[in-house]
Amino acid sequence: MASRKEVAERAGVSEATVSRVLNNVGPLKEETRQRVLAAARELGYTPSSLARSFARRRSGNLGVVMPDLPKARLFSAYYFSEILSGIGSKAREEGYDLLVIFRGAGEPQDYCGLFRMRKIDACIVLGAKEEPGELAALRLLHAEGHPYCLINQHFEGEGFHEVDADHVAGTRQATEHLLAQGFRRIAFLNGPAEYSNSRDRRRGFESALAEAGLPPEPALLLQGNFSRRSGVEAARTVAAQLERIDAIVVANDRMAIGLQQGLRELGVSPGRMPAIVGYDDSDAAELTQPALSSVRVPFFELGALAAARVLELPEGEAGEAISVKLPTRLVVRASSITTKEE
């Protein structure tokens, strides 16, 4: 007897698309539908007999849970727009619609409720962070076997479905780049510790310093919240220590751009500006003065891969854990090769 995989291979589509065609769920291109039905006939099965062997989809929606960030323009932020573009691209390819869900302010998301109310068939979570309510909700989601995937957040020891980037390697590359130019007094402006990518970035930064025989200085470990405003605010701390700071690794481009802006507003001349490396390689990185060196993260690919993998998960069982970590790459521009005046 032919399998769903064989039908999918014959039709040149994913197994999820085969299931949607045979269950007549959600919008589908007519050409795709006919190709799947033809493959089913060629393999000797009618759509109805094949459909009985597939987990039945209910809504045709792929849910994307977004964080509660007051006053933040999420859809214009490079991080979210790139990931959502990747998710949306794959969802369209598979015949799914996106249902964007904003978590309530100060409340853990009831992920399982979204499935019980038949609003979504699978779920991708953005902006998850290490806190008890979030962890409990995700554990229940995993235990009930609903198809879900986290992007850019890792929970150690939990076995959750996760797609991430190698942030340890990313900040290590950035720090090694600065060390290779002779900078030794390197500061680090990080994001909140409840995000695993912040902890990973710090680990990469400190490992590069350790390999160079340089212990991290607590006074040079600065804290922001990933916003441009927090970069502007960090500029005051940096400006007060310019005599002991050669360079700065920053955990995202928004903070790095805010830092550049804040230092200029405080009267720091280009010749006294420390070397700066951002993180994300957003579109704005090339527009700053000087252009911002940055670690490129494949956010679009993270979104597309998460969507593809989550739509392959069976309903009702946890399945083998999705655990993917995509590589990052340092892009060097003028901001990190500017030497301070003595």
Side-chain angles (χ1 to χ4, degrees):
M1 178 179 291
S3 67
R4 173 174 58 179
K5 182 178 179 181
E6 289 172 314
V7 174
E9 289 175 349
R10 177 69 65 89
V13 298
S14 71
E15 293 179 43
T17 298
V18 171
S19 179
R20 288 174 60 73
V21 168
L22 297 173
N23 285 288
N24 196 29
V25 174
L28 288 162
K29 293 181 180 178
E30 181 60 23
E31 186 271 335
T32 300
R33 193 177 75 86
Q34 292 298 334
R35 197 162 71 246
V36 170
L37 295 177
R41 286 193 297 270
E42 289 168 10
L43 291 169
Y45 290 91
T46 64
S48 57
S49 66
L50 275 173
R52 284 194 296 268
S53 70
F54 298 147
R56 192 172 284 276
R57 301 292 186 180
R58 295 184 295 272
S59 71
N61 291 327
L62 170 59
V64 181
V65 178
M66 301 284 284
D68 173 54
L69 298 174
K71 300 182 180 180
R73 296 179 175 87
L74 294 184
F75 293 108
S76 64
Y78 181 80
Y79 171 82
F80 289 109
S81 65
E82 283 292 295
I83 289 178
L84 284 171
S85 293
I87 295 172
S89 175
K90 179 54 67 172
R92 285 192 302 273
E93 182 181 317
E94 300 294 344
Y96 278 78
D97 292 325
L98 289 189
L99 180 62
V100 177
I101 304 150
F102 290 92
R103 65 179 75 235
E107 300 176 0
Q109 177 67 51
D110 179 14
Y111 299 113
C112 294
L114 298 172
F115 288 90
R116 294 191 189 105
M117 290 184 288
R118 300 189 174 186
K119 287 187 175 182
I120 59 174
D121 300 326
C123 177
I124 294 175
V125 181
L126 302 180
K129 54 186 176 181
E130 192 99 14
E131 56 186 21
E134 179 77 5
L135 185 54
L138 289 170
R139 282 173 173 167
L140 183 59
L141 178 66
H142 188 76
E144 291 194 2
H146 299 296
Y148 76 94
C149 186
L150 308 178
I151 293 182
N152 209 37
Q153 178 70 15
H154 172 66
F155 289 86
E156 190 67 35
E158 294 293 338
F160 293 153
H161 301 300
E162 300 168 352
V163 172
D164 205 348
D166 193 343
H167 300 298
V168 175
T171 44
R172 186 187 298 122
Q173 292 168 26
T175 309
E176 289 173 346
H177 162 66
L178 295 171
L179 289 167
Q181 296 182 82
F183 297 119
R184 290 296 178 268
R185 298 170 297 181
I186 304 174
F188 181 47
L189 175 56
N190 200 9
E194 58 262 35
Y195 296 108
S196 65
N197 54 84
S198 293
R199 301 192 297 273
D200 287 347
R201 289 177 178 123
R202 177 166 175 170
R203 220 163 48 241
F205 171 75
E206 292 182 344
S207 70
L209 290 185
E211 289 173 8
L214 299 171
E217 298 183 43
L220 300 186
L221 297 176
L222 312 178
Q223 181 69 55
N225 64 6
F226 292 132
S227 71
R228 184 187 60 83
R229 176 51 54 186
S230 69
V232 173
E233 292 169 355
R236 289 195 293 270
T237 302
V238 173
Q241 302 186 74
L242 281 178
E243 75 286 347
R244 59 184 300 206
I245 295 178
D246 293 324
I248 308 172
V249 176
V250 186
N252 77 340
D253 285 354
R254 289 167 70 87
M255 290 195 297
I257 291 168
L259 177 64
Q260 288 179 317
Q261 176 189 347
L263 290 173
R264 285 195 299 269
E265 290 175 352
L266 291 168
V268 177
S269 66
R272 296 179 62 233
M273 191 77 69
I276 299 175
V277 179
Y279 203 101
D280 291 346
D281 195 33
S282 62
D283 292 339
E286 295 185 76
L287 305 178
T288 64
Q289 291 295 327
L292 183 66
S293 294
S294 187
V295 176
R296 179 170 295 169
V297 182
F299 291 125
F300 182 94
E301 289 79 3
L302 285 174
L305 181 59
R309 296 295 295 273
V310 78
L311 291 174
E312 294 173 352
L313 289 173
E315 174 69 52
E317 57 184 273
E320 183 178 353
I322 299 171
S323 181
V324 180
K325 191 167 287 190
L326 298 184
T328 55
R329 179 170 66 87
L330 176 64
V331 179
V332 177
R333 301 187 180 95
S335 71
S336 65
I337 55 177
T338 301
T339 304
K340 290 175 59 178
E341 294 175 351
E342 297 298 329

